[in-house]
């Protein structure tokens, strides 16, 4: 391939990827535009590429609603506690399975692989949640998803790639498995841990079905269930305490709530982006 052909191929690739990224961003930009536009113009259908008649009335209504705050707090608690528990369980299990002296190591790895291919399904999981008295508690959103077989496989692959000489040196100095895990493996696996942690946190924040299935109490419903209920509404007069707010179109309220719910993830992602770029390359290069 000539130099000109290579350059043309790169230009076409970058152009295609840019257009694809733009198509992915358009729905999100549409939500932002409507949420910041003048409600009266939104009602009339005058929606443009940029917000028309910049207005924060929809956000003021959302931020005054107690249900939104309560659902937001539930999602924050679930994401923080659930992510911490999940990354602890998964990383420790992956480290144990990656050790060559681990008893029944191959059997455990096969069980994890089997769990990747097959799962219990919704009804058996629901029965387990009920029998363990987790139903309609905040822990029903945290404990059942604390173990991810796919994440364990990724972390196991990374731990196995660490030099065996580091572990042998640590054992000569009198370190046990827990010290090797905490003082050697974890510092060397910052990128992989941060990447998996990001996946776990986003999954907790965006998960809808477990809140629908396992939660009946309105005070324990996460933010995604609240947003789903809001989007499904055709009329929202019942959520307004101020009669003046009833003039706001439903679409403005919905888009404002959706954008407000994405802000935490948008704030967190830039801080873990550099680890994410390194983490996605785990296992891509050998030798």
């Amino acid at each position: 391939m000539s130099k000109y052909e290579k350059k043309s191929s790169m230009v076409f690739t970058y152009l295609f990827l840019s257009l694809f990224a733009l198509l992915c961003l358009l729905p999100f930009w549409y939500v932002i535009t409507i949420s910041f536009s003048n409600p009266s113009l939104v009602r009339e259908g005058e929606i443009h590429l940029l917000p028309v008649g910049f207005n924060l009335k929809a956000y003021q209504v959302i931020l005054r609603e107690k249900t939104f705050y309560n659902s937001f707090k539930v999602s924050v608690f679930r994401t923080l506690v659930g992510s911490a528990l999940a990354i602890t369980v998964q990383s420790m299990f992956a480290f144990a399975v990656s050790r060559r002296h681990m008893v029944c190591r191959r059997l455990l790895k096969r069980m994890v692989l089997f769990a990747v291919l097959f799962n219990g399904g919704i009804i058996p999981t629901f029965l387990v949640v009920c029998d363990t008295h987790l139903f309609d508690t905040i822990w029903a959103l945290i404990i059942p998803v604390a173990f991810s077989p796919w994440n364990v496989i990724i972390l196991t692959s990374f731990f196995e790639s660490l030099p065996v000489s580091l572990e042998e040196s640590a054992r000569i100095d009198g370190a046990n498995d827990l010290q090797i895990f905490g003082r050697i493996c974890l510092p060397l696996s910052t990128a992989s841990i941060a990447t998996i942690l990001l996946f776990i946190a986003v999954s907790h924040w965006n998960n809808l079905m477990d809140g629908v299935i396992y939660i009946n109490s309105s005070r324990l419903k996460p933010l995604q269930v609240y947003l789903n209920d809001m989007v499904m509404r055709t009329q929202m007069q019942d959520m307004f305490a101020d009669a003046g707010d009833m003039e706001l179109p439903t679409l403005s309220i919905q888009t404002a709530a959706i954008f407000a719910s994405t802000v935490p993830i948008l704030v967190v992602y830039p801080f873990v982006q550099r680890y994410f770029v390194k983490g996605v390359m785990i296992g891509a290069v050998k030798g």
Side-chain angles (χ1 to χ4, degrees):
M1 183 180 292
S2 65
K3 184 176 180 181
Y4 175 78
E5 291 176 339
K6 290 182 179 180
K7 187 175 181 180
S8 301
S9 177
M10 290 182 61
V11 171
F12 174 79
T13 301
Y14 286 132
L15 181 61
F16 174 79
L17 293 177
S18 299
L19 291 175
F20 183 77
L22 181 62
L23 290 175
C24 293
L25 289 174
L26 277 178
F28 186 67
W29 182 251
Y30 174 79
V31 169
I32 296 176
T33 299
I34 295 178
S35 65
F36 285 107
S37 294
N38 190 308
S40 60
L41 297 178
V42 173
R43 183 183 294 106
E44 296 173 2
E46 296 185 12
I47 302 172
H48 302 281
L49 185 60
L50 296 176
V52 180
F54 186 82
N55 193 291
L56 297 176
K57 184 67 174 178
Y59 289 95
Q60 294 172 359
V61 173
I62 289 297
L63 296 179
R64 285 203 306 263
E65 191 184 0
K66 293 182 180 180
T67 308
F68 176 82
Y69 275 114
N70 186 68
S71 300
F72 190 87
K73 289 189 293 184
V74 170
S75 289
V76 169
F77 178 84
R78 171 196 181 168
T79 302
L80 294 178
V81 177
S83 299
L85 176 64
I87 196 64
T88 301
V89 171
Q90 295 170 23
S91 60
M92 294 185 72
F93 186 88
F95 172 76
V97 173
S98 67
R99 300 302 93 184
R100 297 178 180 178
H101 61 273
M102 174 70 180
V103 179
C104 300
R105 173 173 176 260
R106 292 185 178 179
L107 176 61
L108 290 174
K109 293 183 71 173
R110 289 173 182 173
M111 291 175 63
V112 172
L113 180 60
F114 181 85
V116 172
L117 302 176
F118 306 96
N119 59 71
I122 295 177
I123 295 178
T125 305
F126 177 81
L127 295 176
V128 171
V129 170
C130 292
D131 290 341
T132 52
H133 305 289
L134 296 177
F135 183 78
D136 207 20
T137 67
I138 188 65
W139 301 109
L141 307 176
I142 296 175
I143 295 179
V145 293
F147 187 87
S148 171
W150 179 250
N151 291 344
V152 168
I153 290 178
I154 296 176
L155 290 172
T156 301
S157 176
F158 181 81
F159 287 138
E160 288 178 343
S161 67
L162 296 177
V164 180
S165 58
L166 293 176
E167 180 180 353
E168 294 176 347
S169 300
R171 291 194 182 280
I172 293 175
D173 293 335
N176 54 34
D177 288 327
L178 189 60
Q179 291 172 328
I180 294 174
F181 172 70
R183 297 183 179 181
I184 297 178
C185 292
L186 283 185
L188 293 175
S189 58
T190 304
S192 61
I193 294 295
T195 303
I196 298 300
L197 186 60
L198 177 63
F199 291 155
I200 296 172
V202 172
S203 177
H204 270 292
W205 188 265
N206 290 335
N207 207 330
L208 167 67
M209 289 307 299
D210 53 2
V212 174
I213 296 173
Y214 305 136
I215 301 298
N216 283 337
S217 176
S218 58
R219 64 182 181 85
L220 293 177
K221 289 186 177 181
L223 187 59
Q224 298 305 321
V225 177
Y226 166 82
L227 293 177
N228 181 69
D229 293 342
M230 174 176 286
V231 171
M232 295 301 292
R233 295 178 187 177
T234 56
Q235 300 293 332
M236 294 193 176
Q237 283 78 3
D238 56 331
M239 67 178 285
F240 298 132
D242 189 352
D245 295 338
M246 295 183 183
E247 299 179 359
L248 288 173
T250 299
L251 188 58
S252 294
I253 302 296
Q254 292 173 340
T255 53
I258 291 172
F259 179 68
S261 68
T262 62
V263 170
I265 296 298
L266 294 177
V267 172
V268 170
Y269 182 76
F271 295 98
V272 296
Q273 181 181 10
R274 62 192 183 98
Y275 297 112
F276 178 77
V277 174
K278 293 173 59 178
V280 294
M281 297 298 294
I282 297 173
V285 179
K286 296 292 183 180

